[in-house]
PDB file of all heavy atoms in Angstrom:
ATOM      1  N   MET A 138     -74.489  29.799 -24.014  1.00 98.00           N
ATOM      2  CA  MET A 138     -73.043  29.919 -23.887  1.00 98.00           C
ATOM      3  C   MET A 138     -72.437  28.730 -24.613  1.00 98.00           C
ATOM      4  O   MET A 138     -72.533  27.581 -24.149  1.00 98.00           O
ATOM      5  CB  MET A 138     -72.637  29.929 -22.420  1.00 98.00           C
ATOM      6  CG  MET A 138     -73.231  31.078 -21.617  1.00 98.00           C
ATOM      7  SD  MET A 138     -72.687  32.715 -22.170  1.00 98.00           S
ATOM      8  CE  MET A 138     -70.965  32.675 -21.700  1.00 98.00           C
ATOM      9  N   LEU A 139     -71.858  28.965 -25.792  1.00 98.00           N
ATOM     10  CA  LEU A 139     -71.364  27.896 -26.652  1.00 98.00           C
ATOM     11  C   LEU A 139     -69.866  27.693 -26.457  1.00 98.00           C
ATOM     12  O   LEU A 139     -69.095  28.660 -26.403  1.00 98.00           O
ATOM     13  CB  LEU A 139     -71.652  28.231 -28.115  1.00 98.00           C
ATOM     14  CG  LEU A 139     -73.132  28.358 -28.477  1.00 98.00           C
ATOM     15  CD1 LEU A 139     -73.289  28.727 -29.941  1.00 98.00           C
ATOM     16  CD2 LEU A 139     -73.886  27.069 -28.169  1.00 98.00           C
ATOM     17  N   CYS A 140     -69.465  26.450 -26.374  1.00 97.00           N
ATOM     18  CA  CYS A 140     -68.080  26.111 -26.067  1.00 97.00           C
ATOM     19  C   CYS A 140     -67.475  25.260 -27.177  1.00 97.00           C
ATOM     20  O   CYS A 140     -68.087  24.302 -27.643  1.00 97.00           O
ATOM     21  CB  CYS A 140     -67.988  25.349 -24.746  1.00 97.00           C
ATOM     22  SG  CYS A 140     -68.757  26.231 -23.357  1.00 97.00           S
ATOM     23  N   ASN A 141     -66.245  25.617 -27.543  1.00 94.00           N
ATOM     24  CA  ASN A 141     -65.556  24.909 -28.614  1.00 94.00           C
ATOM     25  C   ASN A 141     -64.648  23.810 -28.101  1.00 94.00           C
ATOM     26  O   ASN A 141     -64.169  22.979 -28.863  1.00 94.00           O
ATOM     27  CB  ASN A 141     -64.748  25.921 -29.441  1.00 94.00           C
ATOM     28  CG  ASN A 141     -64.372  25.400 -30.802  1.00 94.00           C
ATOM     29  OD1 ASN A 141     -63.207  25.210 -31.092  1.00 94.00           O
ATOM     30  ND2 ASN A 141     -65.367  25.176 -31.650  1.00 94.00           N
ATOM     31  N   THR A 142     -64.387  23.827 -26.781  1.00 94.00           N
ATOM     32  CA  THR A 142     -63.506  22.817 -26.184  1.00 94.00           C
ATOM     33  C   THR A 142     -64.187  22.183 -24.980  1.00 94.00           C
ATOM     34  O   THR A 142     -65.063  22.782 -24.353  1.00 94.00           O
ATOM     35  CB  THR A 142     -62.176  23.446 -25.727  1.00 94.00           C
ATOM     36  OG1 THR A 142     -62.433  24.405 -24.687  1.00 94.00           O
ATOM     37  CG2 THR A 142     -61.471  24.130 -26.884  1.00 94.00           C
ATOM     38  N   GLU A 143     -63.765  20.983 -24.644  1.00 95.00           N
ATOM     39  CA  GLU A 143     -64.328  20.284 -23.488  1.00 95.00           C
ATOM     40  C   GLU A 143     -64.019  21.020 -22.185  1.00 95.00           C
ATOM     41  O   GLU A 143     -64.845  21.066 -21.278  1.00 95.00           O
ATOM     42  CB  GLU A 143     -63.772  18.853 -23.421  1.00 95.00           C
ATOM     43  CG  GLU A 143     -64.323  17.920 -24.480  1.00 95.00           C
ATOM     44  CD  GLU A 143     -65.798  17.585 -24.262  1.00 95.00           C
ATOM     45  OE1 GLU A 143     -66.307  17.853 -23.148  1.00 95.00           O
ATOM     46  OE2 GLU A 143     -66.428  17.061 -25.195  1.00 95.00           O
ATOM     47  N   LEU A 146     -66.375  23.864 -21.774  1.00 96.00           N
ATOM     48  CA  LEU A 146     -67.712  23.360 -21.481  1.00 96.00           C
ATOM     49  C   LEU A 146     -67.825  22.953 -20.006  1.00 96.00           C
ATOM     50  O   LEU A 146     -68.831  23.253 -19.346  1.00 96.00           O
ATOM     51  CB  LEU A 146     -68.033  22.174 -22.390  1.00 96.00           C
ATOM     52  CG  LEU A 146     -69.419  21.545 -22.217  1.00 96.00           C
ATOM     53  CD1 LEU A 146     -70.525  22.572 -22.433  1.00 96.00           C
ATOM     54  CD2 LEU A 146     -69.599  20.369 -23.177  1.00 96.00           C
ATOM     55  N   PRO A 165     -77.565  22.413 -19.113  1.00 98.00           N
ATOM     56  CA  PRO A 165     -76.380  22.026 -19.888  1.00 98.00           C
ATOM     57  C   PRO A 165     -76.806  21.269 -21.146  1.00 98.00           C
ATOM     58  O   PRO A 165     -77.756  20.477 -21.114  1.00 98.00           O
ATOM     59  CB  PRO A 165     -75.600  21.130 -18.928  1.00 98.00           C
ATOM     60  CG  PRO A 165     -76.628  20.599 -17.981  1.00 98.00           C
ATOM     61  CD  PRO A 165     -77.703  21.644 -17.866  1.00 98.00           C
ATOM     62  N   LEU A 166     -76.104  21.513 -22.252  1.00 97.00           N
ATOM     63  CA  LEU A 166     -76.485  20.922 -23.535  1.00 97.00           C
ATOM     64  C   LEU A 166     -75.278  20.279 -24.214  1.00 97.00           C
ATOM     65  O   LEU A 166     -74.186  20.848 -24.228  1.00 97.00           O
ATOM     66  CB  LEU A 166     -77.053  21.992 -24.471  1.00 97.00           C
ATOM     67  CG  LEU A 166     -78.277  22.791 -23.990  1.00 97.00           C
ATOM     68  CD1 LEU A 166     -78.577  23.917 -24.966  1.00 97.00           C
ATOM     69  CD2 LEU A 166     -79.484  21.881 -23.836  1.00 97.00           C
ATOM     70  N   SER A 167     -75.500  19.099 -24.799  1.00 96.00           N
ATOM     71  CA  SER A 167     -74.486  18.492 -25.658  1.00 96.00           C
ATOM     72  C   SER A 167     -74.527  19.193 -27.017  1.00 96.00           C
ATOM     73  O   SER A 167     -75.430  19.994 -27.290  1.00 96.00           O
ATOM     74  CB  SER A 167     -74.771  17.002 -25.834  1.00 96.00           C
ATOM     75  OG  SER A 167     -76.004  16.828 -26.537  1.00 96.00           O
ATOM     76  N   ASN A 168     -73.572  18.886 -27.902  1.00 95.00           N
ATOM     77  CA  ASN A 168     -73.608  19.512 -29.226  1.00 95.00           C
ATOM     78  C   ASN A 168     -74.852  19.097 -30.002  1.00 95.00           C
ATOM     79  O   ASN A 168     -75.416  19.888 -30.765  1.00 95.00           O
ATOM     80  CB  ASN A 168     -72.329  19.194 -30.013  1.00 95.00           C
ATOM     81  CG  ASN A 168     -72.107  17.708 -30.206  1.00 95.00           C
ATOM     82  OD1 ASN A 168     -72.746  16.878 -29.570  1.00 95.00           O
ATOM     83  ND2 ASN A 168     -71.179  17.371 -31.092  1.00 95.00           N
ATOM     84  N   GLU A 169     -75.332  17.862 -29.788  1.00 96.00           N
ATOM     85  CA  GLU A 169     -76.565  17.423 -30.453  1.00 96.00           C
ATOM     86  C   GLU A 169     -77.771  18.202 -29.940  1.00 96.00           C
ATOM     87  O   GLU A 169     -78.664  18.572 -30.727  1.00 96.00           O
ATOM     88  CB  GLU A 169     -76.789  15.926 -30.230  1.00 96.00           C
ATOM     89  CG  GLU A 169     -75.770  15.007 -30.890  1.00 96.00           C
ATOM     90  CD  GLU A 169     -74.543  14.799 -30.033  1.00 96.00           C
ATOM     91  OE1 GLU A 169     -74.501  15.339 -28.910  1.00 96.00           O
ATOM     92  OE2 GLU A 169     -73.610  14.102 -30.492  1.00 96.00           O
ATOM     93  N   GLU A 170     -77.781  18.482 -28.647  1.00 97.00           N
ATOM     94  CA  GLU A 170     -78.906  19.234 -28.068  1.00 97.00           C
ATOM     95  C   GLU A 170     -78.881  20.697 -28.502  1.00 97.00           C
ATOM     96  O   GLU A 170     -79.931  21.302 -28.723  1.00 97.00           O
ATOM     97  CB  GLU A 170     -78.867  19.122 -26.542  1.00 97.00           C
ATOM     98  CG  GLU A 170     -79.227  17.718 -26.049  1.00 97.00           C
ATOM     99  CD  GLU A 170     -78.924  17.527 -24.580  1.00 97.00           C
ATOM    100  OE1 GLU A 170     -77.935  18.100 -24.080  1.00 97.00           O
ATOM    101  OE2 GLU A 170     -79.682  16.781 -23.917  1.00 97.00           O
ATOM    102  N   VAL A 171     -77.685  21.264 -28.650  1.00 97.00           N
ATOM    103  CA  VAL A 171     -77.578  22.626 -29.186  1.00 97.00           C
ATOM    104  C   VAL A 171     -78.112  22.658 -30.613  1.00 97.00           C
ATOM    105  O   VAL A 171     -78.840  23.580 -31.009  1.00 97.00           O
ATOM    106  CB  VAL A 171     -76.117  23.128 -29.144  1.00 97.00           C
ATOM    107  CG1 VAL A 171     -75.998  24.465 -29.878  1.00 97.00           C
ATOM    108  CG2 VAL A 171     -75.638  23.282 -27.713  1.00 97.00           C
ATOM    109  N   ASN A 181     -70.085  24.439 -34.943  1.00 95.00           N
ATOM    110  CA  ASN A 181     -68.879  23.692 -34.613  1.00 95.00           C
ATOM    111  C   ASN A 181     -68.600  23.913 -33.126  1.00 95.00           C
ATOM    112  O   ASN A 181     -67.801  24.762 -32.745  1.00 95.00           O
ATOM    113  CB  ASN A 181     -67.703  24.181 -35.460  1.00 95.00           C
ATOM    114  CG  ASN A 181     -66.427  23.429 -35.148  1.00 95.00           C
ATOM    115  OD1 ASN A 181     -66.455  22.289 -34.691  1.00 95.00           O
ATOM    116  ND2 ASN A 181     -65.288  24.082 -35.373  1.00 95.00           N
ATOM    117  N   VAL A 182     -69.314  23.160 -32.283  1.00 96.00           N
ATOM    118  CA  VAL A 182     -69.187  23.325 -30.834  1.00 96.00           C
ATOM    119  C   VAL A 182     -69.206  21.960 -30.148  1.00 96.00           C
ATOM    120  O   VAL A 182     -69.729  20.985 -30.680  1.00 96.00           O
ATOM    121  CB  VAL A 182     -70.326  24.200 -30.254  1.00 96.00           C
ATOM    122  CG1 VAL A 182     -70.282  25.599 -30.846  1.00 96.00           C
ATOM    123  CG2 VAL A 182     -71.691  23.566 -30.488  1.00 96.00           C
ATOM    124  N   GLN A 183     -68.639  21.921 -28.952  1.00 96.00           N
ATOM    125  CA  GLN A 183     -68.698  20.724 -28.133  1.00 96.00           C
ATOM    126  C   GLN A 183     -70.013  20.628 -27.362  1.00 96.00           C
ATOM    127  O   GLN A 183     -70.459  19.553 -26.979  1.00 96.00           O
ATOM    128  CB  GLN A 183     -67.530  20.717 -27.132  1.00 96.00           C
ATOM    129  CG  GLN A 183     -66.162  20.581 -27.776  1.00 96.00           C
ATOM    130  CD  GLN A 183     -65.966  19.232 -28.430  1.00 96.00           C
ATOM    131  OE1 GLN A 183     -66.423  18.206 -27.926  1.00 96.00           O
ATOM    132  NE2 GLN A 183     -65.301  19.229 -29.575  1.00 96.00           N
ATOM    133  N   GLY A 184     -70.625  21.778 -27.139  1.00 97.00           N
ATOM    134  CA  GLY A 184     -71.857  21.859 -26.377  1.00 97.00           C
ATOM    135  C   GLY A 184     -72.003  23.242 -25.797  1.00 97.00           C
ATOM    136  O   GLY A 184     -71.341  24.189 -26.241  1.00 97.00           O
ATOM    137  N   GLY A 185     -72.852  23.366 -24.788  1.00 97.00           N
ATOM    138  CA  GLY A 185     -73.055  24.681 -24.202  1.00 97.00           C
ATOM    139  C   GLY A 185     -73.957  24.615 -22.990  1.00 97.00           C
ATOM    140  O   GLY A 185     -74.344  23.540 -22.530  1.00 97.00           O
ATOM    141  N   VAL A 186     -74.275  25.786 -22.483  1.00 98.00           N
ATOM    142  CA  VAL A 186     -75.206  25.921 -21.370  1.00 98.00           C
ATOM    143  C   VAL A 186     -76.243  26.966 -21.756  1.00 98.00           C
ATOM    144  O   VAL A 186     -75.889  28.060 -22.219  1.00 98.00           O
ATOM    145  CB  VAL A 186     -74.494  26.328 -20.067  1.00 98.00           C
ATOM    146  CG1 VAL A 186     -75.508  26.558 -18.953  1.00 98.00           C
ATOM    147  CG2 VAL A 186     -73.485  25.272 -19.651  1.00 98.00           C
ATOM    148  N   THR A 289     -67.731  31.266 -25.945  1.00 95.00           N
ATOM    149  CA  THR A 289     -67.028  31.482 -24.679  1.00 95.00           C
ATOM    150  C   THR A 289     -65.525  31.703 -24.864  1.00 95.00           C
ATOM    151  O   THR A 289     -64.954  32.610 -24.258  1.00 95.00           O
ATOM    152  CB  THR A 289     -67.264  30.306 -23.721  1.00 95.00           C
ATOM    153  OG1 THR A 289     -66.875  29.091 -24.360  1.00 95.00           O
ATOM    154  CG2 THR A 289     -68.719  30.216 -23.327  1.00 95.00           C
ATOM    155  N   TYR A 332     -66.802  28.988 -35.084  1.00 96.00           N
ATOM    156  CA  TYR A 332     -68.022  28.457 -34.471  1.00 96.00           C
ATOM    157  C   TYR A 332     -69.146  28.285 -35.487  1.00 96.00           C
ATOM    158  O   TYR A 332     -69.888  27.307 -35.438  1.00 96.00           O
ATOM    159  CB  TYR A 332     -68.509  29.396 -33.370  1.00 96.00           C
ATOM    160  CG  TYR A 332     -67.728  29.346 -32.085  1.00 96.00           C
ATOM    161  CD1 TYR A 332     -66.513  29.989 -31.967  1.00 96.00           C
ATOM    162  CD2 TYR A 332     -68.223  28.661 -30.973  1.00 96.00           C
ATOM    163  CE1 TYR A 332     -65.797  29.970 -30.774  1.00 96.00           C
ATOM    164  CE2 TYR A 332     -67.523  28.633 -29.786  1.00 96.00           C
ATOM    165  CZ  TYR A 332     -66.303  29.296 -29.697  1.00 96.00           C
ATOM    166  OH  TYR A 332     -65.612  29.261 -28.517  1.00 96.00           O
TER     167      TYR A 332
END
Side-chain angles (χ1 to χ4, degrees):
M138 300 297 292
L139 298 179
C140 305
N141 199 245
T142 64
E143 288 291 345
L146 181 58
L166 302 173
S167 65
N168 59 347
E169 293 86 2
E170 289 169 326
V171 172
N181 180 26
V182 298
Q183 293 293 323
V186 176
T289 56
Y332 284 79

